[in-house]
Amino acid sequence: MTSSTIIDDLKKKKILALLKEGQRIDGRALDEPRQLTIDTGVIPKAEGSARVRLGDTEVVCGVKVQPDKPFPDLGDRGIFICTAEILPLADPSAEPGPPGEEVIELARVVDRGIRESGMVDLKQLVLEKDKSVVGIFIDNSVTDYDGNLFDACSYASVASVLSCKLPKFKYDSSNGSVSKVEGEFSAPPITTIPVSVTMGKIGDTIIVDPNADEWSCMDGRITITTNAAGNICAVQKGGHDGFTPEQLVQCSKISIATGAKIRDILKQAGGS
Amino acid sequence: MTSSTIIDDLKKKKILALLKEGQRIDGRALDEPRQLTIDTGVIPKAEGSARVRLGDTEVVCGVKVQPDKPFPDLGDRGIFICTAEILPLADPSAEPGPPGEEVIELARVVDRGIRESGMVDLKQLVLEKDKSVVGIFIDNSVTDYDGNLFDACSYASVASVLSCKLPKFKYDSSNGSVSKVEGEFSAPPITTIPVSVTMGKIGDTIIVDPNADEWSCMDGRITITTNAAGNICAVQKGGHDGFTPEQLVQCSKISIATGAKIRDILKQAGGS
Amino acid sequence: MTSSTIIDDLKKKKILALLKEGQRIDGRALDEPRQLTIDTGVIPKAEGSARVRLGDTEVVCGVKVQPDKPFPDLGDRGIFICTAEILPLADPSAEPGPPGEEVIELARVVDRGIRESGMVDLKQLVLEKDKSVVGIFIDNSVTDYDGNLFDACSYASVASVLSCKLPKFKYDSSNGSVSKVEGEFSAPPITTIPVSVTMGKIGDTIIVDPNADEWSCMDGRITITTNAAGNICAVQKGGHDGFTPEQLVQCSKISIATGAKIRDILKQAGGS
Amino acid sequence: MGVKKTDIVLLDENGIRCDGRKINEPRRIMIKAGVLKNANGSAYIEFGENKILAGVFGPRDVHPKHLANTDRGILRCRYHMQPFSVGERKNPAPSRREIEISKVIKEALEPALMLENFPRTVVDVFIEILQADGGSRCAALDAAAVALADAGIPMRDMVSACAAGKVADTIVLDINNEEDQEGQADMPVAYMPNLGKVTLIQLDGVLTPQEYEKCVNTALEGCKLVYEVQKKALQEKFFGDDAK
Amino acid sequence: MGVKKTDIVLLDENGIRCDGRKINEPRRIMIKAGVLKNANGSAYIEFGENKILAGVFGPRDVHPKHLANTDRGILRCRYHMQPFSVGERKNPAPSRREIEISKVIKEALEPALMLENFPRTVVDVFIEILQADGGSRCAALDAAAVALADAGIPMRDMVSACAAGKVADTIVLDINNEEDQEGQADMPVAYMPNLGKVTLIQLDGVLTPQEYEKCVNTALEGCKLVYEVQKKALQEKFFGDDAK
Amino acid sequence: MGVKKTDIVLLDENGIRCDGRKINEPRRIMIKAGVLKNANGSAYIEFGENKILAGVFGPRDVHPKHLANTDRGILRCRYHMQPFSVGERKNPAPSRREIEISKVIKEALEPALMLENFPRTVVDVFIEILQADGGSRCAALDAAAVALADAGIPMRDMVSACAAGKVADTIVLDINNEEDQEGQADMPVAYMPNLGKVTLIQLDGVLTPQEYEKCVNTALEGCKLVYEVQKKALQEKFFGDDAK
């Protein structure tokens, strides 16, 4: 491990030295995300799916749509659940087993960013109030790790949902059973396209979309999700250092500007 | 750890030396429990609650009352479940995680002492036979450890139940649903007040309500629960040494005498 | 551990030397299973049961028969589940706790051998199509280990099922409840008697029913289950070495011949 | 046919119990020592309808090592029910009830074992309930104690266990399943017969102080009867049929 | 009686909120330091209807040892809800929500602690929610920071937390339970008041960029109010009632 | 469209199967080596509708250390299905089926690996089923073997896997999903083509001894076809498009 630690140390020093001159280790501008490539429909058996590459981070996402019972007290809306998992082949340090706090935070932040934006109008997913609703289950699997899983999983989720074909279900009130109407599909009820933008803070420099090298030496982290109207719909700060109030405002502006560009890519990928 | 072990050793020798003269390390008589302080209603959102201090042992207990399905073959009685947990802030040696055998025994002994006494008439908690009953869930959380959790949790449970306001539920036989009748409450159907008295055996001396120092050096342990009629309704022996038959009778007498005094304190605290 | 390792090494060398001369350490012929002893009805409270000794390997098996909901999409057949557990008293190296991959494979291979043979006609175990069926739960507990648990558990399962008294259940379509008709029993709907034969490969020698010493030094393993018609209904290869195609055919012939002899013992034990 | 559980007469006018026993009569007890090949010591007991197997390993190294005690050996105990041992199939994962019983059995055996002779080691006692009836924890203890002796673990005394209880307002010996379900109190007791110490006592149910004392004493008489059966089992194992 | 949840008036024409508070008015806050005997430091907070206990152990040895860091101490944090702390009884096993909150609280406290002084050790913060109301993570943080100070852990600054949010199209301080359920946005914020750094910020709900900035600033005003209460609690603990 | 599953014609009068294949014709197979950046070796396979990713790490240190073997490297294998890989969403926790398949895949790969060269280390094979179809364990093995070669782990031989089975009383190559559900037997086989050894064989379903032998041989023919695709994938990875 010693030699790898020395290389890590050298890399960290390099990153810090470059940032002082406003440069990044991979040549990007401070507010420039990595190249984003999206393929949808990669899992034909799933109702929606996408493979997303954000730099060298890769995520495969699949959507399953199934009838379900609504949550208690939420009988007037469908179910929408977004998960994330780092597959053990994505990273030498990943281990099979129950998710740690990092992965739980990842899944919850991705889920919340999309949910709080109201992207999918869950009220249109009710088959029978309080009895039966449509559930949309979005599972993200990270297959290659190069930092910033928050945005990669968020984009994969959004693209999968945009590309999703919603089967038609029929509720039979005589016996409470639900059946699928073969061959009938519709687009999901989309209201907006949320875009997550994650920024790292190294020293006092804010960088957009940190790669794995930057991720491992950053002091703080903030993920801001914006909707199509340019409003902010979710924020999550992480990392062992704080942000000044001014930096928080700066980050919100970056997230709106960068979000708008990425929203165009997502729209195109989703075919809408 | 060495120095602490030496202190523990010295303390143990002191305890044994004092006991030979019929004295205890904190000056109590052999059959004298520590001061018992009970505050009820400390968790207003719970249907019943209590904070109990027994010496420096502290327990917070809350009662939730909810409609539930009865257990199979027990369709003619409500549900009554008592749990206990040692919070990790209660003790440097406590760890978060699933309960060990010590805590499982604690919870089961507290539960059994109250259940076997018939304190709550479970037959009065049936909403619709075999279909729907009222469940009383009593959760004890130990917040500060100074030995003898058995009695502290038992007193906290009893006081919480005595202070409990039972909501009124209505069973709708047309669709099997249960609804709460807002604003209507009653006292739980109490038949007796059980009192648990735990005794330690150090050498051949029996002491009541051992504190943490005594607990760590005792050889055997017995918890005897008595009801308001002065009868014995539950016994649990623990520890790595045995009791003579005569000691078992001696302990039963102590538990009846001490139990009567503590029952008065519980009655007062419960407002009955 | 050193001395035991030396003995193990010596034993292994002895086994290999003997096999070169076509002999086994316990004097058996290469294709000769150990003595099989079966007692049925050993657990009167279970609907079926057996204690099986295969050499010094011992298994106790019990069958519980209970009404259950059918699996989705399998509403026209009963439930048949076979499990296996190595009890910690069976073997100094066994540990209490969740089953490892060895035991999961054991249980699944035993289950599959019997299931794929169609031994029990599950279509005759339906109380009400899609609503209620009879479940047959077969639990094997290994009480003494001397190798080849696959065959010992399989024989115990088959003997338990053959000796099983199936209670009569009545489905009440008005409320969906199921009740047992007291005192009425029938034999389970048996169509064939499957026999599992496990062979080890040490070097290039195939031996039937390896004991613990042979098991610990064998290179490959194959379990072949045959039915009463002499057909092959399940195969499972294990171990860290492969088999030539010719060996696979050789093993299938051994399993048919040996299976026929063991089937007679099972029939007798099951009283059919 | 048409007889409901609650119609059982637990004690008739002649002092005869629902299974035909007298008030102070235990059920049939059969113990066999040394029944397993792999375990260092073992025993099989049939106590009424209970059928229980106990196996002992040790003294042996402790894993993980940090659990070892430098002063004395440790005792571990697992009481475990087979899925087919009860009326409705039991989930094989240990229940809270099984964990508690494992603990009280461990503490009932510990006073009899000279574990101070074996620092840094562990003795493992594994108890498997093949068929359960009333009083299974006492029967389990009886088998476990014989298995420990069979394993050659140095013991100060045997541990012998038997329950007493209250049925139809009467203190009776050795509660069976129906009496446990329908009766008024159940008190399992374990006893070291030569040292005169009670190493397990539990009680569920209500007793007056007088009944409590009588119940303890009734259970102790049962323990002494069990003790004779345990001794016989060990004699048969070590000295063969001549010992009969 | 007959009043449905959705009929709540979150903000009336006079700028008064559903619990009678003004837009910039926090709920009642009471903090007491040093409430536990066993913990090295502790605090109890009542913040609105929140009732929360925090206890700190450490710096102490790390178990298992391979988790230790040779450069600096590590911080562990557990935010845990009692089963009786919410309307419907909560399963005591930690939920994914509790695990996430534990992590963000840990990261909110870490910048304030001089853990570099205590290599190879761990500081454990245990937070128990006895009764939950809106804003429990901020209240938990406030108690935890006081408990850390009470334990004598060297700190660069206090950490003070308070939420702001959007209710009836208005930015308000310190969201309560009803406002959280029925309101438009909730933004918990933690702040080091002397170093001027935000160590926790989350947002659920939609805000315009202008509202976002106002919401941050409103929350920071709340943090400063909390800071005064935290200081008072520590003064009372260490200097007694004279400090009042 | 009113057509029920059981109306599928698995084999028509012209010997054509439900997906248009002939009796000895495998589904489309496409393998790509070296598809992941972090893994030491990797492969992606499409085999019919199966879409599977395999990644290899190692030889590397074993954690926890007591699992290490001083004589030879150990092989660990995980076969894991994505929640979205099947019709109904699958719980991501490994099922008993996945654990068994992981074990037989490990034992099918082991004979081909020269693990004796790497004592005290572990080679980890992670297989992720992105989309499942009939024969996923064979396809998984095929990808895993290529990933191991891609990782540069010394191998005695390739491992090539393909199933055969019985459908409409006929032995056919490479069972698809419908044939697996509705057919009479399924026999997955893995083969070291140069060493001539079968390293995995399982069978579900009933075969006469003659059918059994024919089924083995049919599967072996499939394995040889797969072997060519595996070699091509590695050539393309290491020698580029020229290799085509």
Side-chain angles (χ1 to χ4, degrees), chain C residues 1 87-96, chain D residues 38-40 55-65 67-69 72-76 115 118-126 153:
Chain C
M1 294 276 157
L87 300 182
L89 49 64
D91 184 6
S93 69
E95 294 275 345
Chain D
N38 280 282
N40 298 135
V56 168
F57 289 99
R60 59 180 178 180
D61 286 352
V62 186
H63 296 285
K65 280 184 194 286
L67 296 177
N69 186 327
R72 49 189 287 115
I74 59 173
L75 177 66
R76 288 191 298 214
L115 293 166
F118 305 99
R120 295 176 192 279
T121 68
V122 62
V123 172
D124 276 308
V125 176
F126 298 115
I153 313 285

Side-chain angles (χ1 to χ4, degrees), chain E residues 48-220:
Chain E
E49 300 295 315
N50 287 297
K51 292 171 189 283
I52 299 171
L53 202 50
V56 169
F57 289 100
R60 60 179 177 179
D61 286 351
V62 185
H63 295 286
K65 280 188 191 284
H66 70 87
L67 296 177
N69 186 329
T70 53
D71 294 338
R72 47 191 285 115
I74 59 173
L75 177 65
R76 288 191 299 215
C77 198
R78 186 177 99 131
Y79 166 99
H80 182 238
M81 302 183 80
Q82 298 306 308
F84 46 76
S85 63
V86 280
E88 182 112 352
R89 180 178 184 271
K90 192 201 158 286
N91 184 315
S95 65
R96 293 168 58 91
R97 175 181 171 273
E98 285 166 284
I99 293 171
E100 185 204 340
I101 294 181
S102 297
K103 181 171 186 290
V104 297
I105 287 180
K106 180 185 69 184
E107 293 175 341
L109 293 170
E110 230 171 350
L113 299 178
M114 297 163 82
L115 291 167
E116 59 277 16
N117 295 359
F118 305 99
R120 297 175 192 279
T121 68
V122 61
V123 172
D124 277 307
V125 177
F126 298 116
I127 297 165
E128 301 290 345
I129 311 298
L130 304 179
Q131 183 168 282
D133 193 11
S136 73
R137 80 191 65 189
C138 288
L141 251 169
D142 296 328
V146 171
L148 283 161
D150 180 44
I153 313 286
M155 293 171 82
R156 288 187 181 79
D157 198 351
M158 183 48 61
V159 179
S160 309
C162 191
K166 182 175 169 190
V167 158
D169 294 320
T170 310
I171 301 300
V172 302
L173 181 63
D174 182 25
I175 296 287
N176 69 21
N177 218 21
E178 288 69 34
E179 292 170 337
D180 189 15
Q181 304 284 306
E182 307 293 325
Q184 295 155 296
D186 180 23
M187 179 193 276
V189 170
Y191 188 56
M192 295 192 291
N194 299 298
L195 296 173
K197 281 201 171 173
V198 171
T199 65
L200 177 145
I201 176 168
Q202 295 182 294
L203 168 68
D204 288 351
V206 181
L207 297 177
T208 65
Q210 296 72 32
E211 287 170 339
Y212 166 80
E213 203 169 335
K214 184 166 185 197
C215 204
V216 170
N217 290 326
T218 303
L220 293 181

Side-chain angles (χ1 to χ4, degrees), chain C residues 89-185:
Chain C
L89 49 64
D91 184 6
S93 69
E95 294 275 345
E101 58 170 29
E102 302 277 345
V103 175
I104 286 175
E105 186 191 20
L106 169 63
R108 285 181 56 85
V109 169
V110 171
D111 181 274
R112 217 150 52 206
I114 300 175
R115 179 192 304 279
E116 291 294 328
S117 77
M119 179 187 180
V120 177
D121 183 0
L122 299 181
K123 303 219 168 176
Q124 293 189 38
L125 299 180
V126 177
L127 298 172
E128 178 78 11
K129 192 164 175 296
D130 294 331
K131 297 263 170 70
S132 183
V133 298
V134 174
I136 298 185
F137 301 91
I138 302 163
D139 291 292
N140 289 282
S141 294
V142 177
T143 55
D144 230 349
Y145 176 78
D146 190 24
N148 192 12
L149 302 180
F150 288 95
D151 293 349
C153 289
S154 182
Y155 304 158
S157 302
V158 169
S160 295
V161 170
L162 288 177
S163 75
C164 186
K165 291 175 307 172
L166 226 56
K168 187 167 174 182
F169 296 101
K170 223 171 56 188
Y171 178 80
D172 181 343
S173 58
S174 75
N175 61 4
S177 71
V178 177
S179 55
K180 200 191 267 199
V181 182
E182 287 300 328
E184 289 197 31
F185 294 94

